[in-house]
Amino acid sequence: DAGVIQSPRHEVTEMGQEVTLRCKPISGHDYLFWYRQTMMRGLELLIYFNNNVPIDDSGMPEDRFSAKMPNASFSTLKIQPSEPRDSAVYFCASSFLSISSGRAWLLDNEQFFGPGTRLTVL
Amino acid sequence: QQQVKQSPQSLIVQKGGISIINCAYENTAFDYFPWYQQFPGKGPALLIAIRPDVSEKKEGRFTISFNKSAKQFSLHIMDSQPGDSATYFCAASIPGGGADGLTFGKGTHLIIQP
């Protein structure tokens, strides 16, 4: 498996422009997460989906941010309009919840992260 | 999301030494505590994880020590090697394991000097 795929890897845009980040989760995973990483705030959970349905979007900073998951193999995070303070690395992660006993339970809840998209808003 | 406090922010250890990173949490509902390792230009990757029903978990040179009453847990890297140089994040989540979003610490930038 290729792992979680994110595109683009780098994005430079000007303030006010729309930015769309894309993610392809690992096949068979039913959870998808969007995180943002900055030096000041570290890794922050923005939103996550289960079976393509948004479960918790309380981490989305404001209405300028929106996320969709139209099918099990694709998700987007959109920022419109973008601002310089949105500059960060955005990660997508996926996982598969397996209800089982024993040590394997922990491994089955592992979140697999993509390589990230480094966004710079000028 | 409840906070997870991680320290130190950066750490330099000599090759062969023990690296220790500490985390403290507030939400007593947390029941899953993973550590993630991140190399430059890469996404975080799960290193080791623990649940509060045990006080210690060891995998190779990596050990998690867990103190439920103090609401603290730590990562120990024995015989630290230059290849261990990375940023380490502790994290926690509520019941459901990592299927719910993780609350991460701010990270520790670890440098192992040869």
Side-chain angles (χ1 to χ4, degrees), chain B residues 54 59 64 83 91 93 101 105-106:
Chain B
V54 296
E59 289 187 359
I64 300 178
S93 72
K106 289 288 183 68

Side-chain angles (χ1 to χ4, degrees), chain B residues 16-33:
Chain B
I18 302 174
S19 303
I20 301 175
I21 304 171
N22 300 299
C23 282
Y25 62 96
E26 300 170 355
N27 188 351
T28 55
F30 285 147
D31 78 336
Y32 174 66
F33 302 89

Side-chain angles (χ1 to χ4, degrees), chain B residues 48 56-59 61-65 74-76:
Chain B
I48 187 173
E56 186 174 280
K57 171 86 174 290
K58 184 176 181 179
E59 289 187 359
R61 297 183 294 106
F62 300 90
T63 300
I64 300 178
S65 296
S74 60
L75 176 69
H76 295 234

Side-chain angles (χ1 to χ4, degrees), chain A residues 31 35 37 48 103 105 111, chain B residues 38 51 59 89 98-100:
Chain A
Y31 283 82
Y35 290 90
Q37 184 175 34
Y48 77 93
R103 184 173 177 275
W105 209 90
Q111 291 188 18
Chain B
Q38 183 180 27
R51 291 198 180 275
E59 289 187 359
F89 295 92
D100 295 315

